[in-house]
Amino acid sequence: QLRATLSENLTPRALRGLKVTIDEKADRLVADVVDRGSFDGVHDLAQELPLQIVLDLIGVQGEVREKILPWGNAAFNLLGPMTNPAQVAHQVIGVFDARWCEPVAAALGQLGARRVFVVHGAGGIDEVAVAGPTEVAQWHAGRVERSVLTPASFGLEEVDPAGLAGSDAAGNAHVLRQVLAGDGIGPGQPRRAAANAAVMEAALALVACGLAEEPRAGAAQAAAALADGRAAAVLTRWVNASHVEAEPT
């Protein structure tokens, strides 16, 4: 019933009837970005125009219009790890709300995962927090265990989350290379927050894979890989591999 109702509104005939309205919306969007002088091609145009048109076609009005995209993003964020065709057995996954830690961990366990950490950090982030507590649900040995981790659980100090702020793609790549090379990651240095975040995430991954007994031991292993150049060497191998042409099949 619902599919039939929506399909009728999405036919070519329905679209032709809205041509003038669609053209007006497109003109307004383009005029707006021209007035601003800069824009995000994905968010301001490629996403915004189709979203407005589809919502008009299916009759979505009011405050629900503002929630459709966040709802869709949330659904994909939750379902993505569960629908991974690689069927990853050991994972560290972040969720946008602590309420989803336990359900996602349980679902992944039922789907065959062996050990999984699902995290939600202080400040509403889907990562291990560099300051404050991180809610954790762990799937292991056939059941879900809840816990709370802090940087101290990894043997690290708390740092200002502002140090995680990114920039453009080139700037973010530069920070990544610095962190993996162990450049500027000591206490009080500019890349400390990024390094701590990387070390804590890697620590949980090592525990999930059975390569570390607990988060503090995993953090020590991850920090050593940054300090001795092994992490940077892995990035170099990945870059080189990505430039090799695939053999024809």
Side-chain angles (χ1 to χ4, degrees):
Q1 181 79 28
L2 177 62
R3 183 175 181 178
T5 300
L6 295 179
S7 296
E8 182 178 349
N9 291 334
L10 296 174
T11 62
R13 177 179 297 179
L15 285 170
R16 285 195 296 271
L18 285 175
K19 183 178 184 306
V20 173
T21 301
I22 292 171
D23 288 345
E24 290 175 349
K25 288 181 181 294
D27 289 343
R28 284 198 299 270
L29 285 173
V30 172
D32 180 57
V33 299
V34 169
D35 288 342
R36 295 206 312 264
S38 64
F39 65 96
D40 182 319
V42 173
H43 181 271
D44 295 328
L45 295 177
Q47 172 181 292
E48 185 64 23
L49 181 59
L51 184 64
Q52 287 190 22
I53 294 168
V54 170
L55 293 180
D56 284 347
L57 286 169
I58 62 177
V60 176
Q61 301 297 328
E63 64 178 16
V64 175
R65 290 177 72 97
E66 303 300 322
K67 296 179 179 178
I68 287 291
L69 196 58
W71 285 346
N73 287 337
F76 278 111
N77 286 340
L78 292 174
L79 296 176
M82 301 182 202
T83 57
N84 187 341
Q87 297 182 323
V88 182
H90 308 89
Q91 301 185 58
V92 178
I93 296 170
V95 292
F96 60 90
D97 190 310
R99 291 176 297 178
W100 288 101
C101 287
E102 189 167 337
V104 170
L108 288 167
Q110 294 300 316
L111 290 170
R114 295 181 62 185
R115 194 168 189 179
V116 176
F117 289 94
V118 182
V119 303
H120 176 79
I125 62 172
D126 55 355
E127 301 177 22
V128 180
V130 297
T134 295
E135 298 283 340
V136 180
Q138 176 188 181
W139 172 269
H140 183 51
R143 63 192 180 94
V144 175
E145 300 175 1
R146 293 296 302 262
S147 62
V148 176
L149 297 176
T150 66
S153 306
F154 299 84
L156 297 170
E157 80 285 5
E158 294 197 353
V159 294
D160 187 351
L164 298 173
S167 57
D168 58 16
N172 293 339
H174 178 66
V175 170
L176 173 64
R177 290 182 180 276
Q178 284 187 307
V179 170
L180 294 181
D183 181 11
I185 66 172
Q189 293 186 302
R191 302 307 177 205
R192 184 64 173 182
N196 280 13
V199 164
M200 291 189 293
E201 302 281 354
L204 288 186
L206 289 168
V207 175
C209 294
L211 298 176
E213 288 295 323
E214 42 83 32
R216 185 181 292 261
Q221 292 183 45
L226 296 181
D228 64 19
R230 282 177 291 153
V234 170
L235 177 62
T236 298
R237 290 200 298 272
W238 281 0
V239 170
N240 292 339
S242 72
H243 293 167
V244 176
E245 291 187 12
E247 295 183 3
T249 57

